[in-house]
Amino acid sequence: MSLKSTLRDLSHPILRHLAFSLPAKVEQHVIRIPILEGTGLGVYEQFRRGEEAWKLALYRRLPGDSGNLFLDVGANLGQTLIELRQVDTHRPYLGFEPNPDCLHYVYRLIKINEFPNVELVAAGIGDSTGLLTLYLPAGRSTDSTATLLEDLRPEREYDTRHVPIFSDEHVNGLIAKRPLGFVKIDVEGAELEVLRGIQGILRRERPPILCEVLFTDPKGDLEASRTRNENIMSLLRDLNYRVLQIRKSPDLRSTVGFVPIEIFPVDYYCPANMHECDYLFLPDERAEELLNKMA
């Protein structure tokens, strides 16, 4: 088998031992996706197929000046950074990611694409500062389902890492350098801790927030999820934020609506609801203005 045909077969075992990059074109930009011993193949496939393109449409309509900071809590392998650079090549980006294996990959992504105005922090954000345990799916150290909650997905096998978590007082200095324009939170169940950890910043800066709030694992505790979701909603109300569930087109290429909710839906995760976990949190005083811009 030739090398060319091998590279066309992204499942070929040899790709688990090579380091190279592949071009992925989304709209007008070509991004080089690093493939480091297999890591990055999923990222490449995501952008090659145009999966989750609804986020591109959302980021294209980001409110405020392009100099406003984009805060990414849960950078993983740089998927959000790639999406942002497709629609805004210079907007300042600050990413928090506690997994060192993911950070190694993102630094490579930044280098080979010469992305400007990017800062990374090798830590997570939470309601207190210290060391926590990160639970990684066994044998998959860069998997996006890594979580700080031991009981999020019971009966799964995990590898563990001890990682640093920072709270508001330590994060504030980085964010205070420029206006905070937008926040994305994807932290696999730890949304409440992140929101508590930056609540002082949210009260001051009032950015819109894109946040994933997961349904319960089929082996998980439904009532524990209900309590956690109620606490998230209570905190958002205290911060004077509205919550809107994002409705997407069947092909996931665009948004088709933003539905205000007062209670997060509680159910077991399944194929029927797997794309209903994304929400916009909008400050009350700017909600209508922001919704008109982002719809």
mmCIF file of all heavy atoms in Angstrom, residues 135-156:
data_model
loop_
_atom_site.group_PDB
_atom_site.id
_atom_site.type_symbol
_atom_site.label_atom_id
_atom_site.label_comp_id
_atom_site.label_asym_id
_atom_site.label_seq_id
_atom_site.Cartn_x
_atom_site.Cartn_y
_atom_site.Cartn_z
ATOM 1 N N TYR A 135 -10.406 13.008 35.323
ATOM 2 C CA TYR A 135 -10.703 11.626 34.954
ATOM 3 C C TYR A 135 -10.744 11.518 33.432
ATOM 4 O O TYR A 135 -11.586 12.123 32.771
ATOM 5 C CB TYR A 135 -12.035 11.198 35.571
ATOM 6 C CG TYR A 135 -11.993 11.203 37.083
ATOM 7 C CD1 TYR A 135 -12.326 12.350 37.801
ATOM 8 C CD2 TYR A 135 -11.574 10.074 37.786
ATOM 9 C CE1 TYR A 135 -12.256 12.368 39.186
ATOM 10 C CE2 TYR A 135 -11.512 10.080 39.175
ATOM 11 C CZ TYR A 135 -11.849 11.233 39.869
ATOM 12 O OH TYR A 135 -11.781 11.242 41.238
ATOM 13 N N LEU A 136 -9.787 10.734 32.886
ATOM 14 C CA LEU A 136 -9.622 10.590 31.445
ATOM 15 C C LEU A 136 -10.060 9.188 31.027
ATOM 16 O O LEU A 136 -9.694 8.204 31.674
ATOM 17 C CB LEU A 136 -8.152 10.775 31.069
ATOM 18 C CG LEU A 136 -7.506 12.094 31.496
ATOM 19 C CD1 LEU A 136 -6.005 11.917 31.648
ATOM 20 C CD2 LEU A 136 -7.800 13.164 30.471
ATOM 21 N N PRO A 137 -10.862 9.083 29.959
ATOM 22 C CA PRO A 137 -11.207 7.745 29.472
ATOM 23 C C PRO A 137 -9.947 6.905 29.290
ATOM 24 O O PRO A 137 -8.961 7.375 28.726
ATOM 25 C CB PRO A 137 -11.905 8.024 28.140
ATOM 26 C CG PRO A 137 -12.449 9.407 28.287
ATOM 27 C CD PRO A 137 -11.436 10.158 29.118
ATOM 28 N N ALA A 138 -9.974 5.695 29.784
ATOM 29 C CA ALA A 138 -8.778 4.850 29.812
ATOM 30 C C ALA A 138 -8.155 4.729 28.428
ATOM 31 O O ALA A 138 -8.826 4.388 27.455
ATOM 32 C CB ALA A 138 -9.132 3.475 30.352
ATOM 33 N N GLY A 139 -6.870 5.063 28.349
ATOM 34 C CA GLY A 139 -6.134 4.937 27.107
ATOM 35 C C GLY A 139 -6.353 6.037 26.102
ATOM 36 O O GLY A 139 -5.781 6.004 25.007
ATOM 37 N N ARG A 140 -7.154 7.061 26.470
ATOM 38 C CA ARG A 140 -7.448 8.147 25.520
ATOM 39 C C ARG A 140 -7.198 9.483 26.237
ATOM 40 O O ARG A 140 -8.119 10.147 26.703
ATOM 41 C CB ARG A 140 -8.891 8.067 25.013
ATOM 42 C CG ARG A 140 -9.238 6.705 24.423
ATOM 43 C CD ARG A 140 -10.444 6.752 23.501
ATOM 44 N NE ARG A 140 -11.607 7.390 24.083
ATOM 45 C CZ ARG A 140 -12.540 6.743 24.787
ATOM 46 N NH1 ARG A 140 -12.418 5.456 25.043
ATOM 47 N NH2 ARG A 140 -13.595 7.393 25.235
ATOM 48 N N SER A 141 -5.937 9.856 26.294
ATOM 49 C CA SER A 141 -5.548 10.963 27.169
ATOM 50 C C SER A 141 -6.001 12.330 26.693
ATOM 51 O O SER A 141 -5.978 13.292 27.467
ATOM 52 C CB SER A 141 -4.023 10.976 27.345
ATOM 53 O OG SER A 141 -3.379 11.287 26.121
ATOM 54 N N THR A 142 -6.412 12.473 25.426
ATOM 55 C CA THR A 142 -6.855 13.782 24.933
ATOM 56 C C THR A 142 -8.348 13.797 24.615
ATOM 57 O O THR A 142 -8.839 14.737 23.987
ATOM 58 C CB THR A 142 -6.072 14.188 23.669
ATOM 59 O OG1 THR A 142 -6.264 13.201 22.652
ATOM 60 C CG2 THR A 142 -4.593 14.317 23.967
ATOM 61 N N ASP A 143 -9.070 12.778 25.050
ATOM 62 C CA ASP A 143 -10.492 12.671 24.741
ATOM 63 C C ASP A 143 -11.264 13.849 25.331
ATOM 64 O O ASP A 143 -11.020 14.263 26.470
ATOM 65 C CB ASP A 143 -11.039 11.355 25.303
ATOM 66 C CG ASP A 143 -12.397 10.994 24.717
ATOM 67 O OD1 ASP A 143 -13.385 11.666 25.098
ATOM 68 O OD2 ASP A 143 -12.470 10.064 23.906
ATOM 69 N N SER A 144 -12.215 14.390 24.567
ATOM 70 C CA SER A 144 -12.972 15.572 24.995
ATOM 71 C C SER A 144 -13.957 15.269 26.113
ATOM 72 O O SER A 144 -14.549 16.191 26.670
ATOM 73 C CB SER A 144 -13.725 16.182 23.807
ATOM 74 O OG SER A 144 -14.666 15.263 23.291
ATOM 75 N N THR A 145 -14.166 13.993 26.471
ATOM 76 C CA THR A 145 -15.085 13.659 27.562
ATOM 77 C C THR A 145 -14.384 13.585 28.917
ATOM 78 O O THR A 145 -15.001 13.193 29.913
ATOM 79 C CB THR A 145 -15.806 12.325 27.291
ATOM 80 O OG1 THR A 145 -14.835 11.267 27.210
ATOM 81 C CG2 THR A 145 -16.600 12.387 26.005
ATOM 82 N N ALA A 146 -13.108 13.967 28.980
ATOM 83 C CA ALA A 146 -12.424 14.031 30.274
ATOM 84 C C ALA A 146 -13.192 14.963 31.205
ATOM 85 O O ALA A 146 -13.724 15.992 30.782
ATOM 86 C CB ALA A 146 -10.995 14.529 30.087
ATOM 87 N N THR A 147 -13.259 14.612 32.485
ATOM 88 C CA THR A 147 -14.098 15.355 33.421
ATOM 89 C C THR A 147 -13.445 15.453 34.794
ATOM 90 O O THR A 147 -12.606 14.610 35.160
ATOM 91 C CB THR A 147 -15.481 14.676 33.558
ATOM 92 O OG1 THR A 147 -16.275 15.396 34.512
ATOM 93 C CG2 THR A 147 -15.339 13.226 34.011
ATOM 94 N N LEU A 148 -13.838 16.463 35.536
ATOM 95 C CA LEU A 148 -13.396 16.618 36.920
ATOM 96 C C LEU A 148 -14.359 15.965 37.901
ATOM 97 O O LEU A 148 -14.104 15.961 39.104
ATOM 98 C CB LEU A 148 -13.251 18.108 37.257
ATOM 99 C CG LEU A 148 -12.113 18.842 36.532
ATOM 100 C CD1 LEU A 148 -12.250 20.348 36.696
ATOM 101 C CD2 LEU A 148 -10.751 18.374 37.029
ATOM 102 N N LEU A 149 -15.458 15.417 37.399
ATOM 103 C CA LEU A 149 -16.464 14.792 38.253
ATOM 104 C C LEU A 149 -16.323 13.274 38.180
ATOM 105 O O LEU A 149 -16.597 12.665 37.146
ATOM 106 C CB LEU A 149 -17.870 15.213 37.828
ATOM 107 C CG LEU A 149 -18.158 16.718 37.779
ATOM 108 C CD1 LEU A 149 -19.616 16.950 37.428
ATOM 109 C CD2 LEU A 149 -17.808 17.391 39.097
ATOM 110 N N GLU A 150 -15.945 12.665 39.281
ATOM 111 C CA GLU A 150 -15.697 11.223 39.295
ATOM 112 C C GLU A 150 -16.943 10.418 38.953
ATOM 113 O O GLU A 150 -16.861 9.353 38.327
ATOM 114 C CB GLU A 150 -15.175 10.807 40.668
ATOM 115 C CG GLU A 150 -14.830 9.336 40.779
ATOM 116 C CD GLU A 150 -14.291 8.960 42.142
ATOM 117 O OE1 GLU A 150 -14.318 9.822 43.053
ATOM 118 O OE2 GLU A 150 -13.836 7.811 42.311
ATOM 119 N N ASP A 151 -18.109 10.921 39.343
ATOM 120 C CA ASP A 151 -19.352 10.162 39.163
ATOM 121 C C ASP A 151 -20.145 10.593 37.935
ATOM 122 O O ASP A 151 -21.305 10.216 37.784
ATOM 123 C CB ASP A 151 -20.226 10.276 40.408
ATOM 124 C CG ASP A 151 -20.594 11.725 40.735
ATOM 125 O OD1 ASP A 151 -20.043 12.644 40.071
ATOM 126 O OD2 ASP A 151 -21.416 11.954 41.636
ATOM 127 N N LEU A 152 -19.536 11.359 37.026
ATOM 128 C CA LEU A 152 -20.292 11.836 35.868
ATOM 129 C C LEU A 152 -20.708 10.676 34.972
ATOM 130 O O LEU A 152 -21.846 10.638 34.478
ATOM 131 C CB LEU A 152 -19.459 12.836 35.054
ATOM 132 C CG LEU A 152 -20.170 13.453 33.855
ATOM 133 C CD1 LEU A 152 -21.288 14.392 34.308
ATOM 134 C CD2 LEU A 152 -19.187 14.206 32.956
ATOM 135 N N ARG A 153 -19.813 9.743 34.754
ATOM 136 C CA ARG A 153 -20.105 8.573 33.915
ATOM 137 C C ARG A 153 -19.694 7.316 34.664
ATOM 138 O O ARG A 153 -18.593 6.780 34.468
ATOM 139 C CB ARG A 153 -19.369 8.685 32.568
ATOM 140 C CG ARG A 153 -19.810 9.900 31.741
ATOM 141 C CD ARG A 153 -19.088 9.960 30.404
ATOM 142 N NE ARG A 153 -19.539 11.111 29.633
ATOM 143 C CZ ARG A 153 -18.918 12.287 29.627
ATOM 144 N NH1 ARG A 153 -17.832 12.466 30.367
ATOM 145 N NH2 ARG A 153 -19.387 13.293 28.907
ATOM 146 N N PRO A 154 -20.563 6.828 35.545
ATOM 147 C CA PRO A 154 -20.223 5.656 36.366
ATOM 148 C C PRO A 154 -19.946 4.424 35.505
ATOM 149 O O PRO A 154 -20.384 4.316 34.363
ATOM 150 C CB PRO A 154 -21.485 5.451 37.217
ATOM 151 C CG PRO A 154 -22.212 6.753 37.172
ATOM 152 C CD PRO A 154 -21.899 7.348 35.839
ATOM 153 N N GLU A 155 -19.214 3.511 36.093
ATOM 154 C CA GLU A 155 -18.908 2.209 35.499
ATOM 155 C C GLU A 155 -17.994 2.305 34.282
ATOM 156 O O GLU A 155 -17.864 1.352 33.519
ATOM 157 C CB GLU A 155 -20.192 1.439 35.147
ATOM 158 C CG GLU A 155 -21.095 1.194 36.350
ATOM 159 C CD GLU A 155 -22.301 0.344 35.998
ATOM 160 O OE1 GLU A 155 -22.288 -0.303 34.936
ATOM 161 O OE2 GLU A 155 -23.259 0.354 36.782
ATOM 162 N N ARG A 156 -17.348 3.460 34.082
ATOM 163 C CA ARG A 156 -16.342 3.551 33.023
ATOM 164 C C ARG A 156 -14.949 3.453 33.631
ATOM 165 O O ARG A 156 -14.738 3.812 34.793
ATOM 166 C CB ARG A 156 -16.478 4.869 32.255
ATOM 167 C CG ARG A 156 -17.783 4.988 31.489
ATOM 168 C CD ARG A 156 -17.693 6.084 30.458
ATOM 169 N NE ARG A 156 -18.961 6.266 29.766
ATOM 170 C CZ ARG A 156 -19.139 7.083 28.746
ATOM 171 N NH1 ARG A 156 -18.121 7.791 28.279
ATOM 172 N NH2 ARG A 156 -20.319 7.202 28.165
#
